[in-house]
Amino acid sequence: MRDFLTGDLGGLTADFGGSSRATLGSSDVAASAVTYVGAEPVPRVPGVPSNPSSTIGSVRQIRFSRARYPSHFGNEYLPPCNDRLPRNEYLPPVGGKPACDDSTVPVERQVELRFHRTSREAGTHTNLSAVRPDGLGLWVAGDETATIEHLALRDGRYDDQRTFALADFVDLPAGPTEEADIEGLARDDGWLWAIGSHSLKRKRVRRDHSPEKARRRLGTVVREENRYILVRLPLAGATPVRRDGHRTAAILSGPGRSLADLMAGDPHLTPFLAVPGKDNGLDIEGIAIFDGRMFVGLRGPVLRGWAVLLEIRPETDPGHPGRLRLAPIDGGPYRTHFLDLGGLGVRDMCPHPDGLLIMAGPTMSLDGPVRLLRWRPPNGPAVEHDPAFLMDLPHGDGCDHAEGLALLDDQRLLVVYDSPSPARLTPWGGVLADVVKMT
Protein backbone atom coordinates (compact mmCIF):
# COMPACT_ATOMS: atom_id res chain seq x y z
CA MET A 1 0.00 0.00 0.00
CA ARG A 2 3.02 2.31 0.15
CA ASP A 3 2.69 2.68 -3.62
CA PHE A 4 -0.10 5.15 -2.91
CA LEU A 5 2.62 7.61 -1.89
CA THR A 6 4.58 7.47 -5.13
CA GLY A 7 2.38 10.03 -6.92
CA ASP A 8 2.42 13.79 -6.50
CA LEU A 9 0.02 14.57 -3.68
CA GLY A 10 0.61 18.31 -3.88
CA GLY A 11 -1.49 20.96 -5.53
CA LEU A 12 -4.40 20.78 -3.11
CA THR A 13 -5.93 24.25 -3.11
CA ALA A 14 -7.89 25.80 -0.26
CA ASP A 15 -10.17 28.75 -0.94
CA PHE A 16 -10.17 31.22 1.96
CA GLY A 17 -12.76 33.51 0.36
CA GLY A 18 -12.22 36.62 -1.70
CA SER A 19 -8.88 36.50 -3.50
CA SER A 20 -7.06 34.57 -0.79
CA ARG A 21 -6.01 31.08 -1.82
CA ALA A 22 -3.40 28.69 -0.54
CA THR A 23 -1.86 25.80 -2.42
CA LEU A 24 -0.11 22.92 -0.71
CA GLY A 25 2.94 21.77 -2.63
CA SER A 26 4.36 18.28 -2.80
CA SER A 27 6.74 19.01 0.05
CA ASP A 28 3.78 19.69 2.35
CA VAL A 29 2.65 16.07 2.03
CA ALA A 30 5.77 14.22 3.09
CA ALA A 31 6.37 11.04 5.01
CA SER A 32 5.84 12.89 8.27
CA ALA A 33 2.39 13.91 7.06
CA VAL A 34 1.22 10.33 6.50
CA THR A 35 -0.82 8.67 9.18
CA TYR A 36 -0.78 4.90 9.30
CA VAL A 37 -3.89 2.93 10.09
CA GLY A 38 -2.47 -0.50 10.67
CA ALA A 39 -0.15 -0.93 7.70
CA GLU A 40 -2.14 1.34 5.41
CA PRO A 41 -0.81 4.86 4.68
CA VAL A 42 -3.37 7.64 4.38
CA PRO A 43 -2.16 11.04 3.10
CA ARG A 44 -3.12 13.91 5.39
CA VAL A 45 -2.76 17.64 5.01
CA PRO A 46 -0.41 19.12 7.62
CA GLY A 47 -2.01 21.40 10.14
CA VAL A 48 -5.46 19.85 10.03
CA PRO A 49 -7.01 20.33 13.48
CA SER A 50 -8.12 17.26 15.37
CA ASN A 51 -11.44 18.90 16.22
CA PRO A 52 -13.79 17.62 13.48
CA SER A 53 -15.87 20.81 13.51
CA SER A 54 -12.89 23.14 13.15
CA THR A 55 -11.85 24.96 10.01
CA ILE A 56 -8.61 26.50 8.83
CA GLY A 57 -9.15 30.24 9.13
CA SER A 58 -12.33 30.94 7.22
CA VAL A 59 -11.94 28.18 4.66
CA ARG A 60 -15.16 27.80 2.66
CA GLN A 61 -14.45 25.13 0.08
CA ILE A 62 -12.36 22.66 2.06
CA ARG A 63 -13.68 21.94 5.51
CA PHE A 64 -12.06 19.07 7.33
CA SER A 65 -14.36 16.88 9.35
CA ARG A 66 -14.88 13.26 10.22
CA ALA A 67 -15.56 11.08 7.18
CA ARG A 68 -19.11 9.80 6.73
CA TYR A 69 -17.99 6.32 7.78
CA PRO A 70 -15.03 7.00 10.10
CA SER A 71 -14.51 3.38 11.10
CA HIS A 72 -12.71 2.87 7.76
CA PHE A 73 -10.13 5.50 8.64
CA GLY A 74 -9.36 4.80 12.29
CA ASN A 75 -9.44 8.06 14.23
CA GLU A 76 -8.25 10.23 11.34
CA TYR A 77 -10.18 13.07 9.73
CA LEU A 78 -10.46 13.29 5.97
CA PRO A 79 -12.42 15.68 3.74
CA PRO A 80 -16.09 14.66 3.54
CA CYS A 81 -17.81 14.02 0.23
CA ASN A 82 -19.09 17.51 -0.35
CA ASP A 83 -15.64 19.02 -0.03
CA ARG A 84 -14.46 18.36 -3.58
CA LEU A 85 -10.78 17.87 -4.30
CA PRO A 86 -9.26 18.88 -7.63
CA ARG A 87 -9.83 16.25 -10.29
CA ASN A 88 -6.18 15.13 -10.34
CA GLU A 89 -6.04 14.52 -6.59
CA TYR A 90 -7.06 11.43 -4.69
CA LEU A 91 -7.28 9.87 -1.30
CA PRO A 92 -6.67 6.12 -1.58
CA PRO A 93 -9.11 3.61 -0.10
CA VAL A 94 -7.97 1.94 3.08
CA GLY A 95 -7.69 -1.83 3.10
CA GLY A 96 -9.88 -2.13 0.01
CA LYS A 97 -12.95 -1.26 2.05
CA PRO A 98 -15.82 0.65 0.46
CA ALA A 99 -15.55 4.41 0.39
CA CYS A 100 -19.28 4.65 0.83
CA ASP A 101 -20.59 1.92 3.07
CA ASP A 102 -22.34 1.09 6.29
CA SER A 103 -23.13 -2.12 8.13
CA THR A 104 -26.54 -2.48 6.47
CA VAL A 105 -25.13 -2.65 2.92
CA PRO A 106 -23.40 -5.93 1.99
CA VAL A 107 -20.63 -4.51 -0.21
CA GLU A 108 -18.32 -7.48 -0.78
CA ARG A 109 -15.44 -5.68 -2.40
CA GLN A 110 -14.48 -2.93 -4.78
CA VAL A 111 -13.11 -3.16 -8.29
CA GLU A 112 -11.19 -0.56 -10.23
CA LEU A 113 -12.36 0.87 -13.56
CA ARG A 114 -9.30 2.42 -15.16
CA PHE A 115 -9.54 5.17 -17.78
CA HIS A 116 -7.04 6.77 -20.13
CA ARG A 117 -5.99 10.40 -19.87
CA THR A 118 -8.37 11.79 -22.50
CA SER A 119 -11.40 10.39 -20.67
CA ARG A 120 -10.09 11.60 -17.33
CA GLU A 121 -9.68 15.10 -18.72
CA ALA A 122 -13.25 14.91 -20.03
CA GLY A 123 -14.42 13.80 -16.59
CA THR A 124 -15.89 10.51 -17.84
CA HIS A 125 -14.61 8.55 -14.87
CA THR A 126 -16.24 10.98 -12.41
CA ASN A 127 -19.53 11.20 -14.33
CA LEU A 128 -20.42 7.55 -14.89
CA SER A 129 -24.10 7.10 -15.62
CA ALA A 130 -24.54 3.66 -17.19
CA VAL A 131 -22.90 0.23 -17.20
CA ARG A 132 -23.45 -3.18 -18.85
CA PRO A 133 -21.26 -6.31 -18.80
CA ASP A 134 -20.59 -8.37 -21.92
CA GLY A 135 -18.57 -11.36 -20.73
CA LEU A 136 -15.29 -9.76 -21.81
CA GLY A 137 -15.57 -6.63 -19.71
CA LEU A 138 -17.86 -3.64 -19.29
CA TRP A 139 -19.62 -1.12 -21.46
CA VAL A 140 -19.83 2.20 -19.62
CA ALA A 141 -20.97 5.72 -20.45
CA GLY A 142 -20.65 9.11 -18.84
CA ASP A 143 -23.22 11.88 -19.02
CA GLU A 144 -20.83 14.63 -20.17
CA THR A 145 -19.79 13.28 -23.59
CA ALA A 146 -21.27 11.73 -26.74
CA THR A 147 -19.24 8.53 -26.44
CA ILE A 148 -19.45 5.04 -25.02
CA GLU A 149 -16.50 3.18 -23.55
CA HIS A 150 -15.45 -0.46 -23.33
CA LEU A 151 -13.21 -1.70 -20.53
CA ALA A 152 -11.71 -5.19 -20.66
CA LEU A 153 -11.43 -7.37 -17.56
CA ARG A 154 -7.73 -7.86 -16.83
CA ASP A 155 -5.84 -8.77 -13.66
CA GLY A 156 -8.87 -8.20 -11.45
CA ARG A 157 -9.71 -4.75 -12.81
CA TYR A 158 -11.43 -3.25 -15.83
CA ASP A 159 -8.82 -1.67 -18.10
CA ASP A 160 -7.67 -1.30 -21.73
CA GLN A 161 -10.26 1.37 -22.45
CA ARG A 162 -11.61 1.83 -25.95
CA THR A 163 -13.72 4.89 -26.78
CA PHE A 164 -16.41 4.94 -29.45
CA ALA A 165 -17.97 8.22 -30.59
CA LEU A 166 -21.67 7.82 -31.31
CA ALA A 167 -21.29 10.18 -34.28
CA ASP A 168 -19.11 7.57 -36.01
CA PHE A 169 -22.16 5.31 -36.28
CA VAL A 170 -25.26 7.54 -36.46
CA ASP A 171 -26.12 11.12 -37.32
CA LEU A 172 -26.51 12.98 -34.04
CA PRO A 173 -29.11 15.76 -34.23
CA ALA A 174 -26.83 18.43 -32.71
CA GLY A 175 -23.57 17.25 -34.22
CA PRO A 176 -20.72 15.09 -32.98
CA THR A 177 -19.37 17.20 -30.11
CA GLU A 178 -22.42 18.21 -28.05
CA GLU A 179 -22.93 15.94 -25.04
CA ALA A 180 -25.57 13.22 -25.33
CA ASP A 181 -26.17 12.77 -21.59
CA ILE A 182 -26.26 9.00 -21.98
CA GLU A 183 -28.19 7.61 -18.99
CA GLY A 184 -28.73 3.99 -19.90
CA LEU A 185 -27.12 1.09 -21.76
CA ALA A 186 -28.64 -2.24 -22.76
CA ARG A 187 -27.17 -5.23 -24.55
CA ASP A 188 -29.17 -8.03 -26.13
CA ASP A 189 -28.96 -10.40 -29.08
CA GLY A 190 -25.85 -8.82 -30.57
CA TRP A 191 -27.05 -5.22 -30.19
CA LEU A 192 -25.88 -2.43 -27.92
CA TRP A 193 -28.42 0.27 -27.04
CA ALA A 194 -27.77 3.72 -25.56
CA ILE A 195 -30.38 6.24 -24.47
CA GLY A 196 -30.11 9.93 -23.58
CA SER A 197 -31.89 11.61 -20.70
CA HIS A 198 -34.46 13.36 -22.95
CA SER A 199 -34.46 16.12 -20.34
CA LEU A 200 -34.44 19.87 -20.34
CA LYS A 201 -31.59 21.47 -18.40
CA ARG A 202 -31.77 24.41 -16.01
CA LYS A 203 -28.50 26.29 -15.78
CA ARG A 204 -26.31 25.41 -12.80
CA VAL A 205 -25.39 28.03 -10.19
CA ARG A 206 -21.89 28.10 -8.73
CA ARG A 207 -20.56 29.74 -5.60
CA ASP A 208 -18.52 32.27 -7.55
CA HIS A 209 -21.55 33.59 -9.45
CA SER A 210 -22.90 36.99 -8.43
CA PRO A 211 -26.50 37.07 -7.17
CA GLU A 212 -27.58 38.69 -10.44
CA LYS A 213 -25.90 36.01 -12.54
CA ALA A 214 -27.28 33.25 -10.31
CA ARG A 215 -30.82 34.57 -10.79
CA ARG A 216 -30.36 34.73 -14.57
CA ARG A 217 -29.05 31.18 -14.71
CA LEU A 218 -31.84 29.80 -12.53
CA GLY A 219 -34.29 31.36 -14.97
CA THR A 220 -32.61 29.82 -18.03
CA VAL A 221 -33.78 26.45 -19.37
CA VAL A 222 -32.19 24.90 -22.45
CA ARG A 223 -32.99 21.96 -24.70
CA GLU A 224 -29.99 20.13 -26.12
CA GLU A 225 -31.06 17.86 -28.97
CA ASN A 226 -28.33 15.24 -28.48
CA ARG A 227 -29.99 14.36 -25.17
CA TYR A 228 -33.09 13.23 -27.07
CA ILE A 229 -31.71 10.08 -28.66
CA LEU A 230 -32.08 6.31 -28.62
CA VAL A 231 -29.18 4.62 -30.44
CA ARG A 232 -28.87 1.02 -31.60
CA LEU A 233 -25.46 -0.36 -32.57
CA PRO A 234 -24.70 -3.82 -34.00
CA LEU A 235 -21.86 -5.56 -32.19
CA ALA A 236 -19.13 -7.57 -33.86
CA GLY A 237 -17.78 -9.31 -30.78
CA ALA A 238 -17.02 -6.49 -28.37
CA THR A 239 -16.82 -3.83 -31.08
CA PRO A 240 -19.72 -1.71 -32.34
CA VAL A 241 -19.91 -1.29 -36.11
CA ARG A 242 -21.96 0.85 -38.46
CA ARG A 243 -23.09 -2.15 -40.50
CA ASP A 244 -22.88 -5.91 -40.02
CA GLY A 245 -24.50 -7.63 -42.96
CA HIS A 246 -28.17 -6.67 -42.91
CA ARG A 247 -27.85 -5.13 -39.44
CA THR A 248 -27.29 -1.38 -39.34
CA ALA A 249 -26.67 1.25 -36.70
CA ALA A 250 -29.73 3.47 -36.27
CA ILE A 251 -31.09 6.31 -34.16
CA LEU A 252 -34.46 7.53 -32.91
CA SER A 253 -34.21 11.31 -32.72
CA GLY A 254 -35.33 14.61 -34.17
CA PRO A 255 -38.33 16.90 -33.77
CA GLY A 256 -41.57 14.96 -33.76
CA ARG A 257 -39.74 11.63 -33.76
CA SER A 258 -37.89 11.50 -30.43
CA LEU A 259 -39.39 9.53 -27.57
CA ALA A 260 -40.09 12.75 -25.66
CA ASP A 261 -41.92 14.32 -28.59
CA LEU A 262 -44.02 11.18 -28.97
CA MET A 263 -45.30 11.77 -25.42
CA ALA A 264 -47.19 14.88 -26.51
CA GLY A 265 -50.84 14.36 -25.58
CA ASP A 266 -50.09 11.75 -22.91
CA PRO A 267 -52.40 12.58 -19.96
CA HIS A 268 -49.75 11.58 -17.41
CA LEU A 269 -46.53 12.86 -18.97
CA THR A 270 -47.35 15.85 -21.16
CA PRO A 271 -47.45 18.38 -18.26
CA PHE A 272 -43.83 17.49 -17.43
CA LEU A 273 -42.31 17.82 -20.91
CA ALA A 274 -41.66 21.53 -20.36
CA VAL A 275 -40.17 21.01 -16.88
CA PRO A 276 -36.39 20.46 -16.44
CA GLY A 277 -35.37 17.00 -15.38
CA LYS A 278 -33.96 18.00 -12.01
CA ASP A 279 -37.26 19.76 -11.22
CA ASN A 280 -39.29 16.50 -11.47
CA GLY A 281 -39.66 16.96 -15.21
CA LEU A 282 -39.08 14.28 -17.81
CA ASP A 283 -35.75 12.57 -17.14
CA ILE A 284 -34.88 9.12 -18.51
CA GLU A 285 -32.40 7.06 -16.48
CA GLY A 286 -32.16 3.45 -17.41
CA ILE A 287 -32.95 1.04 -20.21
CA ALA A 288 -33.19 -2.74 -19.97
CA ILE A 289 -34.34 -5.68 -22.05
CA PHE A 290 -36.13 -8.48 -20.23
CA ASP A 291 -37.73 -11.49 -21.90
CA GLY A 292 -37.41 -9.80 -25.30
CA ARG A 293 -39.17 -6.62 -24.15
CA MET A 294 -37.52 -3.19 -23.86
CA PHE A 295 -38.21 -0.99 -20.84
CA VAL A 296 -37.20 2.63 -20.26
CA GLY A 297 -37.08 3.96 -16.70
CA LEU A 298 -38.02 7.51 -15.76
CA ARG A 299 -36.27 9.26 -12.92
CA GLY A 300 -38.97 11.85 -13.33
CA PRO A 301 -41.71 12.63 -13.27
CA VAL A 302 -42.84 10.85 -10.14
CA LEU A 303 -46.64 11.12 -9.92
CA ARG A 304 -47.85 11.34 -6.33
CA GLY A 305 -45.16 8.87 -5.32
CA TRP A 306 -45.53 6.61 -8.38
CA ALA A 307 -42.62 6.00 -10.74
CA VAL A 308 -43.12 5.50 -14.46
CA LEU A 309 -41.63 2.92 -16.82
CA LEU A 310 -42.20 2.89 -20.56
CA GLU A 311 -42.26 -0.23 -22.70
CA ILE A 312 -41.23 0.39 -26.31
CA ARG A 313 -40.70 -1.64 -29.48
CA PRO A 314 -38.09 0.12 -31.61
CA GLU A 315 -37.60 -1.12 -35.16
CA THR A 316 -35.73 -0.03 -38.27
CA ASP A 317 -37.53 2.60 -40.32
CA PRO A 318 -37.96 0.81 -43.70
CA GLY A 319 -37.56 4.10 -45.58
CA HIS A 320 -34.44 5.15 -43.69
CA PRO A 321 -32.15 2.28 -42.56
CA GLY A 322 -30.18 4.67 -40.33
CA ARG A 323 -33.28 5.63 -38.38
CA LEU A 324 -35.48 3.90 -35.84
CA ARG A 325 -39.21 4.18 -35.33
CA LEU A 326 -41.47 2.83 -32.60
CA ALA A 327 -43.79 0.00 -33.54
CA PRO A 328 -47.30 0.44 -32.10
CA ILE A 329 -48.09 -1.07 -28.73
CA ASP A 330 -51.57 -0.84 -27.23
CA GLY A 331 -52.46 1.48 -30.08
CA GLY A 332 -49.75 4.01 -29.25
CA PRO A 333 -45.97 4.47 -29.47
CA TYR A 334 -45.36 2.99 -26.00
CA ARG A 335 -46.98 1.33 -23.00
CA THR A 336 -46.84 2.91 -19.53
CA HIS A 337 -46.27 1.02 -16.30
CA PHE A 338 -46.67 2.64 -12.88
CA LEU A 339 -44.74 1.38 -9.84
CA ASP A 340 -45.00 2.51 -6.25
CA LEU A 341 -41.33 3.04 -5.37
CA GLY A 342 -42.11 5.01 -2.23
CA GLY A 343 -41.75 8.41 -3.86
CA LEU A 344 -38.49 7.55 -5.64
CA GLY A 345 -37.80 7.51 -9.36
CA VAL A 346 -35.88 5.02 -11.51
CA ARG A 347 -32.10 5.60 -11.51
CA ASP A 348 -31.16 2.48 -13.49
CA MET A 349 -32.38 -1.01 -14.32
CA CYS A 350 -30.88 -4.32 -15.35
CA PRO A 351 -32.36 -7.71 -16.26
CA HIS A 352 -32.31 -10.63 -13.83
CA PRO A 353 -33.65 -14.17 -14.33
CA ASP A 354 -36.48 -13.35 -11.89
CA GLY A 355 -37.43 -9.97 -13.41
CA LEU A 356 -36.17 -6.43 -13.72
CA LEU A 357 -33.86 -5.10 -11.02
CA ILE A 358 -34.63 -1.43 -10.40
CA MET A 359 -32.32 1.00 -8.67
CA ALA A 360 -34.61 3.67 -7.21
CA GLY A 361 -33.49 7.08 -5.98
CA PRO A 362 -34.56 10.70 -5.63
CA THR A 363 -35.83 12.64 -8.63
CA MET A 364 -34.19 15.90 -7.56
CA SER A 365 -30.74 16.87 -6.30
CA LEU A 366 -30.76 14.72 -3.16
CA ASP A 367 -28.27 12.05 -2.16
CA GLY A 368 -30.65 9.32 -1.04
CA PRO A 369 -32.18 7.04 -0.18
CA VAL A 370 -31.16 4.57 -2.90
CA ARG A 371 -32.96 1.21 -2.99
CA LEU A 372 -32.88 -1.98 -5.01
CA LEU A 373 -36.19 -3.56 -5.97
CA ARG A 374 -37.32 -6.36 -8.24
CA TRP A 375 -40.35 -6.31 -10.54
CA ARG A 376 -41.59 -8.96 -12.94
CA PRO A 377 -43.49 -7.25 -15.77
CA PRO A 378 -46.94 -8.66 -16.57
CA ASN A 379 -48.16 -9.17 -20.11
CA GLY A 380 -50.12 -5.90 -20.14
CA PRO A 381 -49.96 -2.46 -18.56
CA ALA A 382 -49.07 -2.57 -14.89
CA VAL A 383 -50.01 -0.64 -11.78
CA GLU A 384 -47.71 -2.28 -9.25
CA HIS A 385 -48.31 -1.46 -5.59
CA ASP A 386 -45.73 -3.82 -4.15
CA PRO A 387 -42.52 -4.33 -6.14
CA ALA A 388 -40.22 -6.59 -4.13
CA PHE A 389 -37.82 -4.60 -1.94
CA LEU A 390 -34.40 -6.26 -1.87
CA MET A 391 -32.00 -3.92 -0.08
CA ASP A 392 -30.72 -0.41 0.42
CA LEU A 393 -27.72 0.65 -1.64
CA PRO A 394 -24.88 2.93 -0.49
CA HIS A 395 -24.75 6.63 -1.20
CA GLY A 396 -22.66 9.53 -0.01
CA ASP A 397 -23.29 13.02 1.30
CA GLY A 398 -22.78 15.31 -1.68
CA CYS A 399 -21.00 12.55 -3.59
CA ASP A 400 -21.13 8.84 -4.49
CA HIS A 401 -24.42 9.07 -6.39
CA ALA A 402 -25.30 5.54 -7.50
CA GLU A 403 -26.05 5.82 -11.22
CA GLY A 404 -25.28 2.51 -12.93
CA LEU A 405 -26.32 -1.05 -12.14
CA ALA A 406 -25.07 -4.28 -13.75
CA LEU A 407 -25.65 -7.94 -12.95
CA LEU A 408 -22.39 -9.89 -12.59
CA ASP A 409 -24.07 -13.17 -11.62
CA ASP A 410 -27.38 -14.23 -10.10
CA GLN A 411 -26.41 -12.81 -6.71
CA ARG A 412 -23.88 -10.04 -7.32
CA LEU A 413 -24.25 -6.57 -8.73
CA LEU A 414 -21.80 -3.94 -9.86
CA VAL A 415 -22.70 -0.37 -8.85
CA VAL A 416 -20.96 2.64 -10.40
CA TYR A 417 -21.17 6.19 -9.10
CA ASP A 418 -21.44 9.70 -10.45
CA SER A 419 -19.52 12.36 -8.49
CA PRO A 420 -17.35 9.79 -6.69
CA SER A 421 -15.82 10.67 -3.35
CA PRO A 422 -12.06 11.31 -3.31
CA ALA A 423 -11.59 7.92 -1.64
CA ARG A 424 -12.84 6.21 -4.81
CA LEU A 425 -10.22 7.76 -7.12
CA THR A 426 -7.04 5.75 -7.61
CA PRO A 427 -3.55 7.01 -8.46
CA TRP A 428 -3.61 5.09 -11.76
CA GLY A 429 -6.45 7.07 -13.33
CA GLY A 430 -9.22 4.81 -12.12
CA VAL A 431 -12.34 4.89 -10.03
CA LEU A 432 -13.66 2.23 -7.66
CA ALA A 433 -17.03 0.57 -8.18
CA ASP A 434 -18.81 -1.59 -5.59
CA VAL A 435 -19.58 -5.28 -5.90
CA VAL A 436 -22.76 -5.82 -3.91
CA LYS A 437 -24.27 -9.15 -2.92
CA MET A 438 -28.05 -9.14 -3.05
CA THR A 439 -29.85 -10.15 0.11
Side-chain angles (χ1 to χ4, degrees), residues 1-53:
M1 297 299 292
R2 290 179 182 270
D3 291 342
F4 282 124
L5 301 179
T6 59
D8 180 7
L9 298 179
L12 180 62
T13 300
D15 185 348
F16 289 87
S19 60
S20 299
R21 298 174 65 85
T23 301
L24 301 173
S26 301
S27 61
D28 293 320
V29 186
S32 61
V34 175
T35 296
Y36 287 82
V37 182
E40 312 286 355
V42 181
R44 293 184 64 213
V45 177
V48 175
S50 59
N51 184 343
S53 63

Side-chain angles (χ1 to χ4, degrees), residues 145-156:
T145 66
T147 64
I148 54 176
E149 327 294 329
H150 187 269
L151 305 175
L153 181 61
R154 180 166 66 86
D155 298 330

Side-chain angles (χ1 to χ4, degrees), residues 16-358:
F16 289 87
S19 60
S20 299
R21 298 174 65 85
T23 301
L24 301 173
S26 301
S27 61
D28 293 320
V29 186
S32 61
V34 175
T35 296
Y36 287 82
V37 182
E40 312 286 355
V42 181
R44 293 184 64 213
V45 177
V48 175
S50 59
N51 184 343
S53 63
S54 298
T55 58
I56 304 174
S58 57
V59 175
R60 293 187 294 110
Q61 299 290 359
I62 300 180
R63 178 182 174 88
F64 292 90
S65 61
R66 182 179 293 275
R68 179 175 176 84
Y69 303 111
S71 60
H72 294 164
F73 300 95
N75 294 320
E76 298 308 315
Y77 298 109
L78 299 174
C81 290
N82 55 6
D83 297 322
R84 303 302 174 83
L85 298 179
R87 185 171 291 166
N88 63 342
E89 297 297 333
Y90 66 88
L91 289 170
V94 178
K97 294 183 180 180
C100 191
D101 179 29
D102 64 29
S103 60
T104 66
V105 180
V107 177
E108 282 197 339
R109 58 188 173 89
Q110 294 185 305
V111 61
E112 184 186 17
L113 282 58
R114 193 172 293 185
F115 293 83
H116 56 55
R117 181 179 296 276
T118 301
S119 286
R120 297 199 305 272
E121 291 175 349
T124 300
H125 68 313
T126 57
N127 291 280
L128 295 178
S129 56
V131 60
R132 275 296 180 272
D134 68 355
L136 301 174
L138 296 176
W139 291 100
V140 298
D143 58 13
E144 299 292 333
T145 66
T147 64
I148 54 176
E149 327 294 329
H150 187 269
L151 305 175
L153 181 61
R154 180 166 66 86
D155 298 330
R157 67 177 183 271
Y158 293 98
D159 204 341
D160 302 329
Q161 179 191 359
R162 294 181 296 152
T163 296
F164 301 94
L166 294 177
D168 290 342
F169 307 96
V170 296
D171 295 326
L172 296 178
T177 58
E178 183 179 299
E179 72 172 54
D181 196 21
I182 297 300
E183 293 288 351
L185 295 172
R187 189 181 63 86
D188 183 71
D189 196 27
W191 299 99
L192 182 67
W193 299 82
I195 194 165
S197 66
H198 289 69
S199 65
L200 297 174
K201 183 171 70 174
R202 190 179 299 280
K203 290 288 189 178
R204 187 189 302 269
V205 174
R206 298 198 307 264
R207 286 182 178 272
D208 59 347
H209 288 157
S210 68
E212 293 76 15
K213 185 173 184 178
R215 292 174 67 88
R216 287 197 304 271
R217 291 180 68 85
L218 285 174
T220 303
V221 176
V222 297
R223 172 168 170 149
E224 298 173 345
E225 287 300 324
N226 276 4
R227 290 172 164 239
Y228 293 77
I229 61 171
L230 171 65
V231 175
R232 182 194 68 186
L233 303 177
L235 291 173
T239 301
V241 295
R242 195 175 185 104
R243 178 181 292 274
D244 180 28
H246 67 282
R247 302 190 308 152
T248 60
I251 185 172
L252 180 69
S253 68
R257 296 192 302 269
S258 73
L259 181 55
D261 288 351
L262 294 175
M263 297 178 193
D266 186 300
H268 301 103
L269 301 177
T270 297
F272 299 92
L273 298 180
V275 180
K278 301 303 182 288
D279 299 351
N280 197 40
L282 176 66
D283 194 359
I284 290 175
E285 290 204 6
I287 184 171
I289 299 171
F290 173 75
D291 198 22
R293 300 160 64 187
M294 180 174 289
F295 297 88
V296 173
L298 304 190
R299 175 177 178 175
V302 170
L303 308 178
R304 200 178 175 90
W306 290 77
V308 184
L309 277 74
L310 305 180
E311 184 177 345
I312 60 175
R313 295 175 180 172
E315 62 181 13
T316 303
D317 186 332
H320 302 276
R323 291 184 185 173
L324 295 171
R325 68 180 186 182
L326 296 185
I329 180 171
D330 296 340
Y334 55 83
R335 172 185 289 162
T336 52
H337 302 278
F338 299 96
L339 281 68
D340 185 355
L341 302 183
L344 302 176
V346 176
R347 302 302 295 266
D348 200 11
M349 304 183 297
C350 69
H352 184 274
D354 294 330
L356 279 179
L357 296 179
I358 299 173

Side-chain angles (χ1 to χ4, degrees), residues 277-278 280 283 285 297-302 305-308 339-349 358-373 389 391-395 400-405:
K278 301 303 182 288
N280 197 40
D283 194 359
E285 290 204 6
L298 304 190
R299 175 177 178 175
V302 170
W306 290 77
V308 184
L339 281 68
D340 185 355
L341 302 183
L344 302 176
V346 176
R347 302 302 295 266
D348 200 11
M349 304 183 297
I358 299 173
M359 183 166 66
T363 62
M364 299 187 186
S365 298
L366 299 172
D367 296 309
V370 182
R371 294 169 181 156
L372 182 68
L373 303 100
F389 171 80
M391 58 190 292
D392 288 305
L393 291 174
H395 64 85
D400 284 343
H401 300 145
E403 287 274 345
L405 186 70

